[in-house]
Amino acid sequence: MRIELLDQWGDAARKLPGKAQGRRYPGRMRARAVQLAAAARAAGVRQAEVCRRLGIPDVTLSKWMRRVDLVPVEVIAEESPVRLSIGIGHAEVSLDQVAQLLGVRR
C-alpha cells in the first residue's frame, strides 16, 4: 500500500466544489476511498491516520465501509392470488397464470 495514494485522494477531494461540511462525494470517489482505506488498514495503518490523510471524518469513512459490506437481496413475496377487476366483476388468478398470459417466465 502506497500511503501517498491516500494523500492524492485527499487533495482531489479538497478540490471538489462546495463547502467542506455536507459535501457530496461522487460514488466512484467514495468507492476508491473505501478501497484505499481497506488496503491501508490491511497494511497496518490506523483508521484515524487513514481519515486524516483522506481529509474526511472517521464516521464518514466508517459509514462508507459499512455500505460496502451490504449485499443486495431480492425480496420475493409469497404467492397469493391476484384480483383483477374487469367491468363490474372480478376474477382471481395466480401470478403464474398472469406470467403465462404475458409470455413471461418466472
Side-chain angles (χ1 to χ4, degrees), residues 29-99:
M29 199 166 188
R30 287 192 307 264
R32 182 67 176 145
V34 168
Q35 184 182 40
L36 291 171
R41 297 285 292 133
V45 181
R46 291 184 9 248
Q47 183 155 330
E49 176 67 12
V50 171
C51 290
R52 187 184 69 72
R53 289 182 174 270
L54 291 174
I56 59 175
D58 190 329
V59 68
T60 299
L61 181 60
S62 295
K63 185 171 33 171
W64 291 353
M65 292 182 88
R66 276 195 307 272
R67 285 184 184 159
V68 170
D69 292 338
L70 299 178
V71 177
V73 295
E74 182 179 346
V75 177
I76 301 174
E78 290 183 25
E79 195 159 320
S80 61
V82 176
R83 183 168 282 217
L84 300 176
S85 294
I86 305 171
I88 58 173
H90 69 272
E92 288 188 7
V93 295
S94 72
L95 292 176
D96 287 329
Q97 290 170 317
V98 171

Side-chain angles (χ1 to χ4, degrees), residues 11-32:
D11 292 341
R14 282 184 280 285
K15 292 177 184 172
L16 287 174
K19 58 185 180 182
Q21 285 188 320
R23 178 184 299 150
R24 291 280 190 193
Y25 294 90
R28 283 180 149 181
M29 199 166 188
R30 287 192 307 264
R32 182 67 176 145

